[in-house]
């Protein structure tokens, strides 16, 4: 019969109209800005720089100004200037740091490639989405002071990912410390004579030495290697 | 008549033709709401009947292919999101496929399944949106479009929680996927897929049998299968004419040969068939999704050989293509061994599908041209690049 399709369609509309008053699941509108829907942890907007402490963000930036993100950024919105001097990082190692680190967020397309290519976990994606400013150019160009946010903040917005990153960094630091310790031990174990072998090079050295048949210098390294 | 008459001048002018008498040339667009973006049609009218139609593209041209040649392989990936911004996941896959062929990377099985899941979700999203937009073009203002967008938002929420962005996913990588979907995400996808048939039933109850829709679309914009094949039309547009060509079956890329699904084919090639094909394809997509979600294997989602930094495939060329929701989307790459492609070319489905617009519109009225264009399913980001 002509018109049945129309009536069936109108029944669907009526069901949806009435349903939205009774079933909260059918009412899909969110009253933004009074109500803000929760963001998924993976949500990304613009990048920020991770600093170890919130008190001294400039002194504890993880960034070592390697400029990989600057090169890989598809729309080329990152600008970095390297420092001439070096500062100790969280692990106590002397590192170069960025004197200028600017991101033009009017150009940035939030693709996350800078985060993926960063070998130091120093740049991460932020979740602040209310970024409107009155200024068209200057206000959207974020400098290093505006970009720096603490690791605690990173934990707050992305708990799972941040815990994973912290675990990885701690493991790396531990490995580096052990290596440094071993190196220090090896240094301490060095006998006063410059010709003495180091523990690492002990075996080939000894094998090289053994045909000559002298044992004078072999004893101090063996003692030093105990701890 | 020139191709682009009077740019910046009058938009309507009378053309005298000895045979037809007085014809009227009207410039529709580029700011016409029915043209789905900045697309312009110069239509010559005899009364209300179209006797000539010239499409004008390029208002959204942004050097996509040249950008691809000047940036690294990885840096082109987020740009592919912006080609057809409804289907970023499929675009990512087609580009990743081309680069994987070029560099000889293997994709782990789990990543292949994840790609199928995301591509089919994208197909659901695209076809749902298309049906909504088409109804909007037919003059059914609001209701079907809002129902479609309600469902689309659920899929976009899934994409956002996985990749971080609703539409600009930037998710696929050369040799796998960026993030391994966690169990909660897969459970969410399963819930969505389980509920989608009910939505399609509701949507069809609203539209498919509707007499006004039938009167408005049946027999309108008929496309001849021979013309469609010779013009290189692909995707649902081609299948609506009765040609059963689907790259998922023809190429069998990824893990598609493992799934059981049918390729729906139309009979008349008119606007109504193009609408129905999309509904039927969504039902098949749900079948594929059910099988893919059930059979998802464990393991890594990235090829351990794949490098993120300093990626330089050896010299050669490759063409990667997939069955995108709009048709065959392909990327043709030539490498000279450097960090950038030497040549980067996109085969955009909606651009090629749009080339036969005039043949479909001739003899119809202006109001029909609007729904014919709506049924072609174009996204100007991809047409103009």
């Amino acid at each position: 019969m002509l018109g049945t399709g129309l009536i069936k369609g109108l029944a669907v509309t009526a069901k949806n109209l009435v349903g939205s008053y009774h079933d909260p699941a059918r009412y899909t509108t969110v009253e933004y800005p009074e109500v803000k829907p929760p963001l998924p942890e993976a949500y990304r907007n613009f990048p920020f720089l991770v600093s170890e402490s919130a008190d001294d963000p400039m002194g504890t930036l993880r960034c070592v100004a390697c400029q990989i993100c600057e090169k890989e950024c598809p729309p080329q919105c990152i600008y970095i200037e390297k420092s001439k001097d070096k500062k100790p990082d969280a692990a106590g190692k002397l590192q170069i740091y960025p004197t200028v680190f600017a991101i033009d967020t009017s150009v940035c397309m939030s693709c996350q490639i800078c985060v993926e290519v960063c070998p130091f976990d120093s740049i991460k994606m932020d979740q602040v989405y209310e970024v409107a400013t009155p200024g068209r150019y200057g206000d959207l160009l974020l400098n290093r002071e505006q970009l720096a946010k603490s690791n605690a903040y990173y934990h707050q917005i992305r708990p799972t990912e941040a815990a994973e990153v912290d675990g990885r960094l701690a493991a790396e630091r531990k490995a580096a410390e052990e290596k440094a310790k071993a190196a220090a031990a090896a240094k301490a174990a060095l006998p006063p004579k410059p010709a003495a072998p180091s523990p690492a090079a002990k075996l080939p050295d000894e094998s090289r030495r053994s045909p000559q048949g002298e044992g004078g210098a072999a004893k101090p390294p063996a003692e030093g290697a105990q701890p | 008549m020139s191709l682009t008459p009077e740019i910046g001048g009058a938009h309507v002018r009378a053309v005298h033709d000895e045979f037809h008498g007085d014809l009227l040339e009207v410039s529709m667009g580029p700011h016409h709401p029915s043209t789905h973006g900045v697309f312009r049609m110069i239509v010559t009218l005899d009364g209300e009947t179209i006797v000539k139609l010239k499409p004008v593209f390029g208002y959204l041209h942004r050097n996509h292919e040249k950008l691809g040649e000047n940036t690294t392989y990885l840096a082109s990936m987020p740009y592919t999101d912006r080609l057809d911004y409804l289907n970023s996941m499929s675009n990512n896959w087609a580009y990743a496929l081309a680069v994987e062929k070029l560099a000889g990377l293997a994709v782990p099985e789990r990543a292949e399944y994840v790609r199928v899941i995301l591509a089919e979700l994208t197909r659901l999203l695209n076809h749902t949106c298309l049906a909504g937009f088409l109804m909007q073009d037919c003059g059914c203002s609001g209701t079907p479009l809002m129902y479609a967008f309600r469902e689309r938002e659920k899929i976009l929420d899934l994409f956002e929680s996985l990749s971080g962005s609703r539409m600009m996913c930037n998710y696929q990588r050369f040799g796998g996927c960026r993030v391994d979907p966690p169990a909660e995400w897969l459970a969410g996808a399963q819930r969505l897929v389980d509920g989608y048939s009910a939505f399609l039933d509701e949507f069809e109850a609203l539209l498919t049998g509707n007499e006004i829709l039938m009167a408005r679309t049946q027999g309108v914009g008929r496309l001849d299968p021979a013309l469609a094949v010779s013009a290189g039309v692909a995707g649902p547009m081609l299948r609506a004419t009765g040609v059963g060509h689907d790259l998922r079956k023809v190429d069998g890329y990824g893990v598609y040969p493992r799934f059981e699904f049918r390729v729906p084919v139309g009979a008349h090639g008119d606007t109504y068939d193009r609408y129905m094909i999309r509904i039927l394809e969504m039902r098949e997509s749900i079948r594929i999704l059910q099988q893919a979600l059930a059979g998802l294997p464990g393991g890594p989602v990235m090829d351990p050989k794949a490098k993120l930094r300093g990626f330089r495939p050896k010299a050669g060329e490759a063409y990667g293509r997939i069955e995108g929701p709009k048709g065959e989307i392909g990327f043709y790459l030539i490498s000279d061994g450097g960090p950038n492609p030497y040549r980067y070319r996109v085969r955009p489905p909606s651009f090629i599908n749009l080339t036969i617009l005039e043949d479909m519109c001739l003899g119809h009225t202006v109001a029909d041209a609007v729904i014919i264009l709506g049924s072609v399913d174009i996204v100007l980001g991809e047409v103009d690049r």
Side-chain angles (χ1 to χ4, degrees):
Chain A
M1 196 188 87
L2 193 69
T4 32
L6 266 176
I7 291 163
K8 253 170 83 184
L10 283 171
V12 171
T13 339
K15 224 170 95 189
N16 271 281
L17 172 71
V18 180
S20 66
Y21 283 98
H22 295 287
D23 184 2
R26 290 196 89 105
Y27 186 71
T28 44
T29 315
V30 177
E31 304 284 346
Y32 180 84
E34 285 82 18
V35 183
K36 288 180 184 174
L39 294 172
E41 196 188 322
Y43 174 76
R44 57 183 144 93
N45 198 359
F46 293 124
F48 71 96
L49 292 173
V50 185
S51 66
E52 297 294 346
S53 88
D55 305 327
D56 179 21
M58 284 311 104
T60 57
L61 283 183
R62 278 185 195 164
C63 178
V64 299
C66 67
Q67 294 181 309
I68 289 176
C69 56
E70 189 184 23
K71 284 193 198 89
E72 292 283 343
C73 175
Q76 302 282 301
C77 70
I78 303 177
Y79 177 74
I80 300 171
E81 269 180 26
K82 285 183 177 194
S83 65
K84 300 270 189 313
D85 56 328
K86 287 187 175 183
K87 271 199 307 202
D89 65 358
K93 199 174 157 195
L94 282 177
Q95 297 278 19
I96 295 173
Y97 59 95
T99 52
V100 176
F101 195 115
I103 293 180
D104 190 348
T105 54
S106 66
V107 175
C108 174
M109 60 183 193
S110 312
C111 64
Q112 210 179 4
I113 281 181
C114 51
V115 176
E116 281 172 59
V117 297
C118 180
F120 301 96
D121 285 303
S122 63
I123 188 164
K124 295 289 167 196
M125 296 309 273
D126 206 348
Q127 295 193 335
V128 177
Y129 54 88
E130 287 166 328
V131 288
T133 55
R136 188 167 172 187
Y137 301 107
D139 291 0
L140 293 168
L141 183 70
L142 303 183
N143 57 29
R144 129 189 124 117
E145 282 77 14
Q146 288 158 300
L147 288 169
K149 287 182 181 175
S150 67
N151 195 20
Y153 173 79
Y154 180 41
H155 272 275
Q156 193 188 322
I157 58 168
R158 285 172 211 263
T160 332
E161 196 189 293
E164 196 189 308
V165 167
D166 271 10
R168 192 167 66 233
L169 285 180
E172 271 170 25
R173 255 169 226 166
K174 209 175 156 198
E177 267 168 30
E178 267 167 18
K179 211 172 149 195
K181 222 188 248 170
K187 216 173 180 183
L190 274 180
K193 288 177 198 165
S198 68
K202 203 168 155 188
L203 272 173
D205 255 335
E206 270 190 351
S207 61
R208 225 183 300 141
R209 269 161 192 271
S210 52
Q212 290 165 3
E214 50 164 66
K219 214 162 183 195
E223 275 169 2
Q226 284 292 334
Chain B
M1 258 174 288
S2 62
L3 185 68
T4 52
E6 303 140 9
I7 289 175
H11 285 278
V12 178
R13 67 168 182 173
V15 181
H16 184 69
D17 183 297
E18 279 187 11
F19 182 67
H20 289 98
D22 280 339
L23 300 178
L24 197 67
E25 194 173 81
V26 183
S27 170
M28 285 178 75
H31 291 294
H32 195 275
S34 75
T35 57
H36 298 256
V38 281
F39 174 60
R40 184 177 177 205
M41 293 185 275
I42 300 164
V43 285
T44 310
L45 300 173
D46 179 8
E48 217 188 328
T49 313
I50 296 171
V51 292
K52 193 170 183 178
L53 186 145
K54 286 271 176 213
V56 184
F57 319 118
Y59 292 96
L60 205 60
H61 179 63
R62 54 200 187 283
N63 262 321
H64 180 87
E65 289 172 5
K66 198 70 198 165
L67 276 174
E69 286 160 22
N70 287 322
T71 50
T72 58
Y73 286 90
L74 176 64
S76 283
M77 185 60 91
Y79 284 120
T80 62
D81 293 337
R82 284 143 177 91
L83 271 175
D84 173 358
Y85 39 77
L86 290 175
N87 307 325
S88 60
M89 289 287 191
S90 325
N91 298 345
N92 282 180
W93 188 4
Y95 179 57
L97 201 66
V99 177
E100 280 154 11
K101 272 189 184 174
L102 195 63
L105 291 169
V107 182
E109 204 182 350
R110 185 177 170 84
E112 291 279 22
Y113 271 76
V114 171
R115 284 178 174 186
V116 167
I117 292 170
L118 292 169
E120 293 306 320
L121 281 174
T122 309
R123 199 180 311 276
L124 287 182
L125 171 122
N126 179 70
H127 288 356
T128 311
C129 280
L130 171 103
F133 285 132
L134 182 59
M135 295 311 131
Q136 185 90 350
D137 289 341
C138 287
C140 180
S141 50
T143 311
L145 182 66
M146 285 302 125
Y147 288 7
F149 267 45
R150 186 186 65 200
E151 298 306 309
R152 166 191 188 240
E153 210 55 42
K154 291 177 190 166
I155 301 176
L156 289 180
D157 282 349
L158 277 180
F159 285 178
E160 187 180 26
S161 62
L162 183 64
S163 73
S165 186
R166 289 163 71 245
M167 291 167 81
M168 303 298 143
C169 299
N170 186 18
Y171 177 71
Q172 314 287 2
R173 286 286 172 272
F174 316 134
C177 305
R178 184 156 58 82
V179 192
D180 192 0
E184 322 69 276
W185 188 88
L186 292 168
Q190 185 69 54
R191 267 198 305 282
L192 179 113
V193 172
D194 290 341
Y196 218 81
S197 289
F199 161 70
L200 282 183
D201 292 341
E202 185 190 37
F203 206 60
E204 280 210 275
L206 180 68
L207 298 168
T208 303
N210 189 307
E211 284 82 3
I212 302 173
L213 176 72
M214 288 200 230
R216 194 83 173 74
T217 53
Q218 284 182 349
V220 170
R222 201 163 275 185
L223 179 59
D224 183 47
L227 175 68
V229 170
S230 60
V233 170
M237 281 275 288
L238 178 65
R239 291 193 285 276
T241 64
V243 183
H245 178 84
D246 189 319
L247 287 181
R248 290 175 292 175
K249 292 278 190 198
V250 174
D251 272 14
Y253 59 91
V255 286
Y256 274 114
R258 296 187 199 178
F259 303 127
E260 195 187 307
F261 64 101
R262 289 173 301 173
V263 178
V265 177
H268 306 96
D270 57 2
T271 307
Y272 188 76
D273 271 15
R274 289 197 277 276
Y275 157 75
M276 269 319 287
I277 279 284
R278 265 110 184 183
I279 300 281
L280 295 173
E281 275 194 10
M282 280 198 270
R283 298 210 182 263
E284 293 303 313
S285 285
I286 293 171
R287 281 179 69 195
I288 298 174
L289 277 166
Q290 293 285 17
Q291 293 170 53
L293 283 166
L296 183 70
V301 290
M302 270 301 276
D303 182 4
K305 273 191 296 178
K307 274 202 305 184
L308 206 57
R309 289 190 297 267
F311 180 77
R312 282 162 184 265
K314 59 185 186 305
E317 53 190 87
Y319 180 60
R321 60 177 187 175
I322 66 163
E323 182 70 35
K326 292 182 162 63
E328 174 189 337
I329 172 146
F331 287 84
Y332 183 68
L333 299 166
I334 300 180
S335 164
D336 56 359
N340 310 339
Y342 173 75
R343 181 76 177 98
Y344 171 99
R345 156 87 185 145
V346 189
R347 188 225 186 260
S350 46
F351 173 67
I352 293 170
N353 289 355
L354 197 53
T355 51
I356 39 131
L357 184 67
E358 186 180 17
D359 301 274
M360 290 194 288
C361 286
L362 288 186
H364 291 295
T365 58
V366 179
D368 285 342
V370 171
I371 59 170
I372 292 167
L373 180 70
S375 71
V376 175
D377 191 9
I378 54 164
V379 160
L380 264 292
E382 185 177 79
V383 173
D384 292 342
R385 304 193 297 291

